[in-house]
Amino acid sequence: MARNIAVVLAGGSGSRTGLNIPKEFLPVAGKTVLEHSVEAFHRNPGIDEVIIVISQDYIETARDLCRKNGWNKVTQILPGGSERYESSLSAINAYNDQPGCNLIFHDAARPLVTDRIISDTIKALEANRAVSVAVPSTDTIVTIKEPSANPVTDKVLDRRMLYCEQTPQGFRQSTIRQAYEIALKDPALVSTDDCGTVLKYLPQVPVVIVPGDRDNIKLTYQEDIPMVEFLLSRRSL
């Protein structure tokens, strides 16, 4: 069986939440956002290791949290990059000697990831090289003719074909490494999503969807904080 490595990406700056600290260190429901996210993977029996990728300035803070919580599955704390894909690459390169392992990337700003989602992702990686977590879109999505202050609708998309992507996203290390090796040769590279990188640069590799959870929201804006707090508090009841 392949080893399952959870990669918790915690490189946010907090700018969109209007905070003066990274949102991963925001206290919600008695713990920091980062603690909630790491603990979800740490307690799952299918996860063999956890690594944290974080801004260089906060590596020591992350180490303190590891000591405080006794996270013995956390084997590495790595510095992230200015772009999300650079943080992913930091983890990918750390396991170049283990091409058969599974790397399961998760945004630390999604502290409501469930044990079921993690286990389903691990299970899906037994037969697939790339796995996404997503939920069907409940909104009607439109495209516009061009970006402007007053955009004009171009097309209404078929909602049955639309999903909202979440994390975690899981890959064989060899697969995601190969995708980025090709991507880095592209002078027009723009990558904010690891599954998107596989889809674009390794189109022959299917990205299988595991059902997500509507509560698995990402803390992005300040108005998200009360909802995340409520949902986390509800779990402890």
Side-chain angles (χ1 to χ4, degrees), residues 104 113-126 128 130-136 163-170 195 207-214 216:
I104 301 170
V113 63
T114 65
D115 197 55
R116 192 274 302 165
I117 290 175
I118 297 169
S119 295
D120 285 357
T121 301
I122 292 170
K123 180 68 177 175
L125 283 168
E126 292 177 8
N128 300 282
V131 176
S132 176
V133 169
V135 293
Y163 276 66
C164 299
E165 201 164 53
Q166 302 179 341
T167 62
Q169 297 178 352
C195 281
V207 178
V208 175
I209 291 179
V210 164
D213 189 304
R214 303 232 175 253
N216 185 25

Side-chain angles (χ1 to χ4, degrees), residues 86-107:
E86 293 174 329
S87 294
S88 295
L89 278 168
S90 182
I92 293 165
N93 292 334
Y95 288 88
N96 279 339
D97 62 340
Q98 298 182 49
C101 75
N102 295 325
L103 296 179
I104 301 170
F105 295 89
H106 184 67
D107 296 326

Side-chain angles (χ1 to χ4, degrees), residues 7-17 19 21-28 31-41 51-54 84 105-114 165-168 213-229 231-232 235:
V7 180
V8 180
L9 299 169
S13 65
S15 58
R16 284 186 289 180
T17 52
L19 303 169
I21 59 169
K23 58 192 172 185
E24 288 82 5
F25 295 107
L26 181 72
V28 288
K31 299 176 183 177
T32 64
V33 171
L34 179 60
E35 285 176 288
H36 287 291
S37 293
V38 171
E39 285 178 1
F41 289 90
I51 67 174
I52 300 170
V53 184
I54 198 164
R84 187 189 187 282
F105 295 89
H106 184 67
D107 296 326
R110 290 187 189 270
L112 287 145
V113 63
T114 65
E165 201 164 53
Q166 302 179 341
T167 62
D213 189 304
R214 303 232 175 253
D215 286 356
N216 185 25
I217 62 174
K218 186 176 182 180
L219 199 167
T220 303
Y221 300 104
Q222 195 155 7
E223 53 265 34
D224 299 330
I225 296 172
M227 177 58 72
V228 171
E229 179 92 40
L231 292 170
L232 285 168
R235 285 186 177 184

Side-chain angles (χ1 to χ4, degrees), residues 31-231:
K31 299 176 183 177
T32 64
V33 171
L34 179 60
E35 285 176 288
H36 287 291
S37 293
V38 171
E39 285 178 1
F41 289 90
H42 192 274
R43 65 174 174 257
N44 187 287
I47 295 295
D48 298 294
E49 296 179 40
V50 178
I51 67 174
I52 300 170
V53 184
I54 198 164
S55 167
Q56 181 74 50
D57 295 339
Y58 290 91
I59 285 179
E60 198 55 47
T61 306
R63 287 179 180 149
D64 289 342
L65 288 177
C66 287
R67 288 188 285 266
K68 169 191 166 187
N69 291 284
W71 290 335
N72 55 9
K73 281 189 182 180
V74 177
T75 57
Q76 299 185 68
I77 301 174
L78 303 175
S82 57
E83 301 291 337
R84 187 189 187 282
Y85 76 87
E86 293 174 329
S87 294
S88 295
L89 278 168
S90 182
I92 293 165
N93 292 334
Y95 288 88
N96 279 339
D97 62 340
Q98 298 182 49
C101 75
N102 295 325
L103 296 179
I104 301 170
F105 295 89
H106 184 67
D107 296 326
R110 290 187 189 270
L112 287 145
V113 63
T114 65
D115 197 55
R116 192 274 302 165
I117 290 175
I118 297 169
S119 295
D120 285 357
T121 301
I122 292 170
K123 180 68 177 175
L125 283 168
E126 292 177 8
N128 300 282
R129 295 163 60 191
V131 176
S132 176
V133 169
V135 293
S137 175
T138 58
D139 294 320
T140 297
I141 307 296
V142 302
T143 61
I144 59 175
K145 292 184 181 295
E146 61 182 23
S148 69
N150 298 291
V152 176
T153 299
D154 183 28
K155 295 178 183 177
V156 177
L157 303 181
D158 185 347
R159 192 169 60 194
R160 296 172 301 171
M161 307 297 290
L162 300 174
Y163 276 66
C164 299
E165 201 164 53
Q166 302 179 341
T167 62
Q169 297 178 352
F171 311 89
R172 297 287 172 88
Q173 192 276 351
S174 57
T175 298
I176 191 66
R177 181 182 67 191
Q178 183 184 7
Y180 273 111
E181 284 174 350
I182 299 170
L184 290 171
K185 297 174 183 176
D186 181 357
L189 171 63
V190 176
S191 175
T192 58
D193 176 84
D194 298 310
C195 281
T197 301
V198 172
L199 283 168
K200 183 173 181 178
Y201 297 102
L202 289 180
Q204 72 277 18
V205 176
V207 178
V208 175
I209 291 179
V210 164
D213 189 304
R214 303 232 175 253
D215 286 356
N216 185 25
I217 62 174
K218 186 176 182 180
L219 199 167
T220 303
Y221 300 104
Q222 195 155 7
E223 53 265 34
D224 299 330
I225 296 172
M227 177 58 72
V228 171
E229 179 92 40
F230 168 74
L231 292 170

